[in-house]
Amino acid sequence: MKRFAIAWLGLAAVANGAPPPITAQVLESSQPSDWRRPDPDNTLYLDLPAGRVIIELAPRFAPEHVANIKAMVHDKFFDGLPIGRVQDNYVTQWGDIDEIRKTKAATRKLPDETVIAWNDALPLVKLPDVDGYAPATGWLDGFPVGAEPQPAGQVWLTHCYGTVGVGRGDWPDTGSGSELYAVIGQAPRHLDRNIVLVGRVLRGMELLASLPRGSDALGFYSAAEKPGRPLIRSARLAGELPASERTGIEVLRTDTPLFTRYVEARRNRREPWFVRPAGHIDVCNLSIPVRDIK
Amino acid sequence: MKRFAIAWLGLAAVANGAPPPITAQVLESSQPSDWRRPDPDNTLYLDLPAGRVIIELAPRFAPEHVANIKAMVHDKFFDGLPIGRVQDNYVTQWGDIDEIRKTKAATRKLPDETVIAWNDALPLVKLPDVDGYAPATGWLDGFPVGAEPQPAGQVWLTHCYGTVGVGRGDWPDTGSGSELYAVIGQAPRHLDRNIVLVGRVLRGMELLASLPRGSDALGFYSAAEKPGRPLIRSARLAGELPASERTGIEVLRTDTPLFTRYVEARRNRREPWFVRPAGHIDVCNLSIPVRDIK
């Protein structure tokens, strides 16, 4: 059994003067204040037959789309709707795929929220590493972002593995949020600033990524496959559920000195298995740890 | 049904003076000479219960590992062995996971083949776009590669979605090829030059990427999950099968003027759906078209 790790290995403590800590050591040294609990009012549970997908919504980036999605969730809009598209190395898409629910929220016209305005006061945590798709990358509110302070003056959520967006037709239709997708493959960064993103999957990506691929164009399930499509049991905001039905998780903060050490431990992997540290990390290659609340 | 395309859309021909062609137009204009048929002696069929995975081996990059894998395949080494590890957003790994087949080939010690020597005469097709993990990237023999002409003087296969590598323990064990993996998520480029790569999946990635994730550490299937592991029906070289059992496919060549136009069409997406072309493409974001031979 050849083991090569994406995560950490059990390792002894580092003595003074030793190389920078590896991932396991950074996380073992974390304090409670290095972790945050996602806002229940922006935490969306997508309960599927196979289990729960937990999505953190990003109201700073797409306030009207997030509000519309929350309104639909409140009205139980998604309950019983299918996962209708699974395109390999691209996206899993769910919701009103067949456009059968013509509610006010589902048909609402929403403004362009692909980007927000750059502002020097934004608490952006910059990643120093070069990126080909954006002049700058980093994290804002715990989400991976791209930024172009000049000349565009823009910040936007990046399409990484697990990022959640709003399906749309041709522009200027921005979508209502009645169909949502999550990235299940190589980060399709060419979609950045082309489509509205609303959040990120914190838990349960494996439930979305391991589904059978649809055989119609773009990964939509064919007529023959439709009867087998997984149906959403319920989509709820954590804040609208009793405490007993919530999943208690914490997410590593991205705005701490510990996070900077974590990024360095991922940029240059010094676990015994590695021969040659990369000296670089892409914003979409850094997974942000999530843990259960004990 | 909100459609956003990874592939091409049906479109009218472009008039003189129009913008550069989009993907569909580039491919429609291709000639037979823009396509190649993979060498049957370096084409590995991994036949699973769900279907066939087609892997192109890369003997230029890892000649001894590829030769050893071919020897094992010739001896039907992989037949009946499981897919034993599926780690979300990382790898699917198959072969002698339980280390039960102590054949000469499976236990052979092989040299370091993580890189090959740089040579100005190599037919490298350079991608002009910046890359954070390598001084240069591009394609060689149709495979995505990284290169560092100076000072290291090295070229290597890159870990992209679908790249196939050789599981190993801690260095200097390079693995024998008795356990192989394919990348099923965001390109783990930090593995480049740390582990031997031997090829790339041309067809059937969805069969490897849609498997249930293993629940043990690093995505290995647990004891309880082991009885349900998918077993390899057979692993064969196309060249060792009668023509009737081969799958006829062609791959877009990467060393043609047409391929350069294809890269540009992917770098700057001009289909009507897009609002803002990215002006950049990562070597791992370019999928190389494969088609059936008619």
Side-chain angles (χ1 to χ4, degrees):
Chain A
M1 195 190 283
K2 309 294 188 188
R3 301 172 172 279
F4 51 101
I6 191 175
W8 44 89
L9 306 165
L11 283 147
V14 167
N16 285 337
I22 62 169
T23 305
Q25 294 162 334
V26 172
L27 293 178
E28 281 162 13
S29 73
S30 71
Q31 300 299 310
S33 58
D34 290 313
W35 299 81
R36 65 183 176 87
R37 299 187 178 186
D39 175 6
D41 291 332
N42 286 307
T43 302
L44 176 60
Y45 295 149
L46 195 66
D47 282 329
L48 304 175
R52 174 169 284 181
V53 178
I54 305 179
I55 297 165
E56 184 172 20
L57 298 170
R60 185 201 290 268
F61 293 88
E64 295 207 35
H65 285 79
V66 167
N68 205 48
I69 290 165
K70 288 162 73 166
M72 286 189 279
V73 167
H74 182 78
D75 290 342
K76 302 184 167 54
F77 177 87
F78 291 98
D79 296 17
L81 289 176
I83 293 179
R85 176 189 187 189
V86 186
Q87 183 169 358
D88 194 58
N89 191 21
Y90 201 43
V91 296
T92 289
Q93 188 168 333
W94 64 88
D96 193 15
I97 304 285
D98 304 324
E99 299 184 355
I100 53 176
R101 297 196 181 171
K102 307 286 186 189
T103 67
K104 193 171 169 188
T107 56
R108 188 163 284 154
K109 301 295 175 202
L110 295 172
D112 177 0
E113 293 182 321
T114 53
V115 300
I116 59 172
W118 172 259
N119 175 340
D120 285 333
L122 283 174
L124 176 71
V125 177
K126 266 191 80 170
L127 178 65
D129 304 59
V130 68
D131 183 272
Y133 288 97
T137 61
W139 294 270
L140 183 55
D141 299 349
F143 294 93
V145 297
E148 186 182 341
Q150 302 292 338
Q154 296 175 342
V155 184
W156 59 92
L157 293 176
T158 50
H159 280 83
C160 295
Y161 191 87
T163 299
V164 174
V166 174
R168 66 164 172 87
D170 279 1
W171 198 260
D173 166 23
T174 64
S176 68
S178 65
E179 292 178 54
L180 299 170
Y181 66 91
V183 173
I184 63 164
Q186 171 71 11
R189 296 281 305 282
H190 61 286
L191 297 177
D192 290 0
R193 296 197 265 184
N194 277 290
I195 188 164
V196 175
L197 296 175
V198 290
R200 191 171 81 81
V201 175
L202 297 178
R203 273 274 173 91
M205 267 308 296
E206 70 282 4
L207 304 178
L208 299 174
S210 64
L211 293 168
R213 278 47 179 159
S215 61
D216 265 6
L218 309 181
F220 285 96
Y221 286 121
S222 67
E225 292 162 341
K226 276 190 176 185
R229 295 187 299 190
L231 301 182
I232 298 165
R233 285 192 176 159
S234 68
R236 295 287 182 275
L237 288 173
E240 293 188 337
L241 288 181
S244 63
E245 294 177 32
R246 298 186 196 176
T247 304
I249 57 169
E250 290 182 323
V251 183
L252 195 70
R253 298 183 67 102
T254 53
D255 57 353
T256 61
L258 183 118
F259 184 75
T260 304
R261 294 196 292 279
Y262 174 74
V263 171
E264 174 52 27
R266 306 308 286 173
R267 176 187 288 118
N268 285 300
R269 299 287 294 269
R270 295 181 179 89
E271 291 88 348
W273 186 92
F274 283 86
V275 182
R276 190 185 187 288
H280 174 79
I281 193 161
D282 184 284
V283 69
C284 286
N285 278 81
L286 193 100
S287 64
I288 300 172
V290 175
R291 68 180 185 185
D292 295 324
I293 295 176
K294 286 162 196 161
Chain B
M1 194 191 285
K2 308 295 188 188
R3 300 172 174 278
F4 51 101
I6 190 175
W8 43 90
L9 305 164
L11 285 145
V14 167
N16 285 337
I22 62 169
T23 304
Q25 294 162 332
V26 172
L27 294 178
E28 281 162 14
S29 72
S30 71
Q31 300 299 310
S33 58
D34 291 311
W35 299 80
R36 66 184 176 88
R37 298 187 180 187
D39 175 5
D41 292 332
N42 286 306
T43 301
L44 177 60
Y45 294 151
L46 194 67
D47 281 330
L48 303 176
R52 174 168 284 180
V53 178
I54 305 178
I55 297 166
E56 184 171 21
L57 297 171
R60 184 202 290 267
F61 293 89
E64 296 207 34
H65 285 79
V66 166
N68 205 47
I69 291 165
K70 287 162 74 166
M72 287 189 280
V73 166
H74 181 78
D75 290 342
K76 302 183 168 52
F77 177 88
F78 291 99
D79 296 16
L81 289 176
I83 294 180
R85 176 190 186 187
V86 186
Q87 183 169 358
D88 193 58
N89 191 22
Y90 201 43
V91 295
T92 289
Q93 190 167 332
W94 63 90
D96 193 14
I97 303 286
D98 304 324
E99 297 182 358
I100 52 175
R101 297 195 181 171
K102 307 287 185 188
T103 68
K104 193 172 167 188
T107 56
R108 187 164 284 154
K109 301 294 175 202
L110 296 172
D112 177 1
E113 294 182 322
T114 51
V115 300
I116 60 172
W118 172 260
N119 176 338
D120 285 333
L122 283 174
L124 176 72
V125 178
K126 268 191 78 172
L127 178 66
D129 304 59
V130 69
D131 183 272
Y133 288 96
T137 61
W139 295 269
L140 182 56
D141 299 347
F143 294 94
V145 297
E148 185 183 341
Q150 300 294 337
Q154 297 175 342
V155 184
W156 58 93
L157 294 176
T158 50
H159 279 83
C160 295
Y161 191 86
T163 299
V164 175
V166 175
R168 66 163 172 88
D170 279 0
W171 198 260
D173 165 25
T174 64
S176 68
S178 64
E179 293 178 54
L180 298 170
Y181 66 90
V183 173
I184 62 164
Q186 171 71 10
R189 296 281 306 282
H190 62 287
L191 297 178
D192 288 1
R193 295 197 265 184
N194 278 289
I195 189 164
V196 175
L197 296 175
V198 291
R200 193 170 79 81
V201 175
L202 297 178
R203 274 273 174 93
M205 265 309 297
E206 70 283 3
L207 304 178
L208 299 174
S210 64
L211 292 168
R213 278 48 178 158
S215 62
D216 266 6
L218 309 180
F220 285 95
Y221 285 121
S222 67
E225 292 161 341
K226 277 190 176 184
R229 295 187 299 190
L231 301 182
I232 298 165
R233 285 193 177 159
S234 69
R236 296 287 182 276
L237 289 173
E240 294 188 337
L241 288 180
S244 63
E245 296 177 31
R246 298 186 197 176
T247 304
I249 57 169
E250 291 182 323
V251 184
L252 194 70
R253 297 184 68 101
T254 53
D255 57 353
T256 60
L258 183 118
F259 184 75
T260 303
R261 295 197 292 278
Y262 174 74
V263 172
E264 174 53 26
R266 305 308 285 173
R267 176 187 288 119
N268 285 300
R269 301 286 297 268
R270 296 182 178 87
E271 292 87 348
W273 186 91
F274 283 86
V275 182
R276 188 185 186 288
H280 175 79
I281 193 161
D282 184 284
V283 70
C284 286
N285 278 80
L286 192 101
S287 64
I288 301 172
V290 175
R291 68 180 186 185
D292 295 324
I293 295 176
K294 284 162 199 160

